[in-house]
Amino acid sequence: MPRLLYADAHAHSNPVTGMGARRIARKFRSVGGWFMAIVSLPPWHYGLGGSLEDHLKAVDITIRECREAREEGLTVSCLAGFHPAEVDSLVSQGMQPGEVARLADKVIDYIAKKCREGLLDGIGEVGRPHYKTMPERVAVAEYVMLRAFEEARDNDLLIHLHLENAGEATVLTIDKLARITGVKPSQLVFHHASRRVAAEATLRGYWATLPGKERLLEAVLPGITGEGVMIESDFIDDPKRPCVSSCPWQVVEAEKKLLEKGVVGEELLYRLNVDNIVKAYHVQIP
């Protein structure tokens, strides 16, 4: 068995108010981290507004953050998107749903362009809200997701999906939309998936990321083969909301504890942290 390495399949960084990618990468590498998928945050996290210019600046910030993490020796997959929460925020500020959809069109176009230039590796997050909101806002969020599906199909990109956790119903709707648009299951990641969503998604050939909480992993990991599953921190890098889900290094600590307790073996952890990462993100082991 090769040496055990650790990956974070979905995390955020914030160089404006948080640690920033360089410090995150250094700390993550110090505990055995080798890979991280760095995903953009909505513009307001960086102190920006809701204009097109602000959204494009947020994408460019993410690209710089990914570069800095790589400079620290971390293998990185870099993704930018148009989060469902952005739809709610912009409509709440007075923008009409149609205006938000047209804005998102331009942002997704820019992201796809940066992917073609090799500066981004995929789209994320896009999807549907997991909280109660107005129907027209859900419609716009789903429109944005379908635009992302089109770009993923045409440019062979990975997408991180932000969705409700409704088990089979969540997966069936995405499966149908993927088939209609021509997106392959291997291009879609069900981010922050519940146990039921992860089981349904991986059964159909999709990827799923599980939150790296020790209690959740202890309950779920012994019953899985690891096929299609990865582990994420969903670190938001906000000092006002420290480790909302968990920090990347806390995820590593949780996995090591489960290994020491005999809850999981090295083979399963290697599959989750290395084999599946290599397959999903098309990266090489350092």
Side-chain angles (χ1 to χ4, degrees), residues 126-128 141-149 161 163 174 177:
V126 293
R128 297 187 294 246
E142 193 151 66
Y143 170 80
V144 177
M145 179 173 63
L146 288 172
R147 280 285 292 109
F149 278 21
L161 296 172
L163 299 164
I174 296 299
L177 293 172

Side-chain angles (χ1 to χ4, degrees), residues 14 18 31 49 84 103 106 109 117 122-123 143 150 167 257 274 277:
N14 188 336
V31 296
L103 170 65
K106 294 175 182 177
D109 283 343
E117 292 173 355
I123 303 174
Y143 170 80
E150 291 173 340
K257 284 183 180 178
V274 181
I277 295 292

Side-chain angles (χ1 to χ4, degrees), residues 48-60 103 107:
L48 300 171
S51 69
L52 174 61
E53 182 182 5
D54 288 328
H55 278 83
L56 302 190
K57 284 181 180 178
V59 173
D60 291 340
L103 170 65
V107 176

Side-chain angles (χ1 to χ4, degrees), residues 141-210:
E142 193 151 66
Y143 170 80
V144 177
M145 179 173 63
L146 288 172
R147 280 285 292 109
F149 278 21
E150 291 173 340
E151 295 295 347
R153 176 198 62 208
D154 296 342
N155 297 285
D156 194 23
L157 305 175
L158 195 68
I159 296 181
H160 277 213
L161 296 172
H162 176 285
L163 299 164
E164 72 289 338
N165 273 309
E168 185 181 19
T170 290
V171 179
L172 285 176
T173 58
I174 296 299
D175 188 55
K176 178 62 72 174
L177 293 172
R179 291 174 186 272
I180 290 171
T181 54
V183 175
K184 300 187 294 289
S186 60
Q187 293 178 263
L188 298 182
V189 179
F190 284 73
H191 147 64
H192 212 281
S194 67
R195 186 188 316 191
R196 289 189 305 148
V197 167
E200 294 288 345
T202 56
L203 185 66
R204 292 169 172 80
Y206 297 95
W207 298 103
T209 54
L210 295 173

Side-chain angles (χ1 to χ4, degrees), residues 31-71:
V31 296
W34 78 279
F35 171 88
M36 181 176 287
I38 295 179
V39 184
S40 67
L41 288 164
W44 64 77
H45 286 269
Y46 309 123
L48 300 171
S51 69
L52 174 61
E53 182 182 5
D54 288 328
H55 278 83
L56 302 190
K57 284 181 180 178
V59 173
D60 291 340
I61 287 171
T62 304
I63 291 171
R64 288 197 300 272
E65 287 289 276
C66 292
R67 183 179 66 244
E68 293 191 2
R70 291 187 181 113
E71 289 172 354

